[in-house]
Amino acid sequence: MEIKVMQADESQQKPKPTDEFDLGFGDILTDHMFSMEYESGKGWFDARIEPYRNISIDPAAMGLHYGQEIFEGLKAYRGKDGAIYLFRARVNFERFNRSAKRLCMPEVDIDLAMEAMKELILLDKDWVPRTHGTSLYIRPTMVATEPHLGVRPSNAYLFFIIIGPVGAYYKEGLNPVKIYVEDFYVRATVGGTGEAKTAGNYAASLLAAEEAKKKGFTQVLWLDAVERKYVEEVGTMNMFFLIDDEVITAPLTGSILPGITRDSVIRIVKDWGMKVSERSLSIDEVIEAAKGGRLKEAFGTGTAAVISPVGQITYKGEDHIVAGGKMGELSQRLYDEIVAIQYGEKSDPHGWVERID
Ligand SMILES: *Cc1c(COP(=O)(O)O)cnc(C)c1O
């Protein structure tokens, strides 16, 4: 399918941010967007890059009522050499298509989506920030658009990609977070939609996160929904623990989002010759290890933060300090390694990075 390109005229162009140290996350979007539409029996059509604009949607659009919505989150990085790099971007679209299947939505052609995304980034390449740690966030999204109020899969969809510059996640260095072990609310359960990046999972997680914030915590550590016993994820990140010399993360049993940063961490730590286990880990084992001084580090992983060190875990009213409340050695080493690969500064033995300009 051919991608039409309609460039924004002067009146449609927005002022670019002047302070790259104050970009924040998710408020600034560029001058253009990619869109295409789908109808049952017809497939995807009308692929276009056009000036960023409001979309018009029928109030009966099924996505607004029954939550058929999926998304992805990835980044483009500006290297010191001025070049623009993507990190494992195809894997994001493979995951997007798995989310689509789970939500009875049509898959997209990955080659087309990749081409569209690269063309969009290159058209708006002056928006890719240059300050160390900043990047261009990319948000592919699909939503059901058929106007119909009966519950069934929609016959029409809109796919779009919007992009925008985002700040360095850690402005004042990597500050470890305080996490609250949630033993009432749950994020997802096996057989549900936990492994899909779909809107409903996030809507369902908001109340627990708000209540934890009121108590002074940054994030919620989710336990499994059946027994409230095994650790799953932290906020919207996968979770790792270093106990003695074993790096442990929850297995992909269906309730956990299969993070690309998670997968990258597993492979790097294996390359380093460390012991990595994808296994069930009970919160009791974590707390026992913390009490016995064997919980060396804990950290979350995700595209936004890369590595988010945990400095305190609070469970059933008891606080447990992790790694002296500081960034641990492994967390720091992993952060440095992954960031260097993403910005094209370090050799890339797994072929994860693609230069696009
Ligand atoms: C996106 C996401 C992650 C992290 O995935 P990455 O591919 O590493 O960015 C982890 N958990 C949840 C719930 C997520 O939505």
Side-chain angles (χ1 to χ4, degrees):
M1 190 180 1
E2 196 206 330
I3 301 170
K4 267 183 276 156
V5 180
M6 285 152 278
Q7 290 222 25
D9 61 36
E10 212 130 301
S11 72
Q12 291 164 316
Q13 287 172 15
K14 307 174 214 175
K16 292 194 182 60
T18 47
D19 184 1
E20 289 194 354
F21 290 96
D22 196 27
L23 288 172
F25 182 87
D27 294 318
I28 307 168
L29 294 144
T30 67
D31 289 333
H32 296 90
M33 64 192 287
F34 171 81
S35 309
M36 64 179 175
E37 269 140 272
Y38 179 93
E39 276 172 30
S40 294
K42 187 172 173 185
W44 289 105
F45 61 95
D46 203 9
R48 70 226 184 240
I49 291 171
E50 60 190 332
Y52 190 98
R53 62 176 180 85
N54 284 352
I55 54 176
S56 155
I57 199 166
D58 192 295
M62 297 179 80
L64 299 178
H65 299 270
Y66 308 123
Q68 266 187 304
E69 192 272 3
I70 57 169
F71 65 96
E72 267 304 323
L74 65 159
K75 286 173 168 179
Y77 307 87
R78 170 94 65 185
K80 280 189 191 132
D81 54 0
I84 299 170
Y85 298 96
L86 292 173
F87 180 76
R88 308 190 72 183
R90 276 193 89 84
V91 187
N92 285 92
F93 285 108
E94 286 162 12
R95 184 170 70 189
F96 189 77
N97 278 346
R98 289 201 303 277
S99 298
K101 267 194 192 151
R102 181 63 182 80
L103 275 288
C104 295
M105 298 166 86
E107 291 178 45
V108 296
D109 181 297
I110 295 182
D111 290 325
L112 174 72
M114 288 287 294
E115 187 194 331
M117 177 178 70
K118 289 180 202 171
E119 251 192 75
L120 175 64
I121 296 167
L122 291 181
L123 186 60
D124 282 338
K125 69 171 186 290
D126 292 343
W127 287 83
V128 184
R130 292 173 182 274
T131 307
H132 184 72
T134 64
S135 54
L136 184 83
Y137 188 74
I138 304 160
R139 173 51 63 88
T141 307
M142 194 198 304
V143 60
T145 51
E146 185 192 355
H148 177 74
L149 293 181
V151 178
R152 58 157 170 76
S154 170
N155 284 309
Y157 297 88
L158 171 68
F159 170 84
F160 60 84
I161 304 174
I162 53 177
I163 57 178
V166 296
Y169 202 83
Y170 300 107
K171 265 194 262 179
E172 296 101 33
L174 288 101
N175 280 328
V177 295
K178 284 185 191 177
I179 59 175
Y180 177 79
V181 181
E182 180 57 67
D183 55 4
F184 177 70
Y185 297 116
V186 294
R187 191 192 84 90
T189 189
V190 176
T193 55
E195 61 187 350
K197 236 172 157 67
T198 182
N201 291 342
Y202 305 85
S205 74
L206 295 175
L207 183 57
E210 284 303 293
E211 289 185 6
K213 263 179 209 151
K214 274 192 206 133
K215 294 179 204 145
F217 297 93
T218 327
Q219 299 272 12
V220 164
L221 176 65
W222 301 105
L223 300 179
D224 79 279
V226 178
E227 297 183 70
R228 308 284 196 282
K229 183 173 172 190
Y230 297 102
V231 295
E232 296 216 321
E233 298 197 62
V234 60
T236 57
M237 289 184 283
N238 295 112
M239 190 68 208
F240 285 78
F241 297 88
L242 175 63
I243 298 180
D244 294 322
D245 56 2
E246 183 188 13
V247 180
I248 309 164
T249 192
L252 301 177
T253 50
S255 55
I256 288 168
L257 200 288
I260 294 160
T261 320
R262 173 189 180 279
D263 183 73
S264 306
V265 164
I266 291 172
R267 295 222 230 160
I268 289 171
V269 165
K270 274 188 189 158
D271 288 350
W272 289 344
M274 296 181 71
K275 181 178 177 201
V276 193
S277 309
E278 293 177 70
R279 67 164 174 90
S280 302
L281 174 65
S282 71
I283 186 65
D284 293 330
E285 188 180 342
V286 172
I287 299 301
E288 276 314 300
K291 283 182 176 163
R294 298 188 299 112
L295 175 61
K296 303 277 161 47
E297 296 184 34
F299 56 89
T301 67
T303 295
V306 189
I307 302 289
S308 179
V310 170
Q312 182 186 317
I313 297 177
T314 296
Y315 181 51
K316 297 203 184 293
E318 270 185 54
D319 299 340
H320 305 273
I321 304 298
V322 185
K326 301 208 177 63
M327 174 103 176
E329 204 179 300
L330 176 66
S331 309
Q332 183 72 56
R333 193 175 166 209
L334 276 167
Y335 177 83
D336 293 343
E337 176 78 12
I338 295 174
V339 168
I341 294 172
Q342 287 171 334
Y343 285 82
E345 289 164 16
K346 194 153 187 175
S347 74
D348 169 28
H350 299 282
W352 286 339
V353 168
E354 180 185 358
R355 181 180 169 159
I356 62 165
D357 61 333

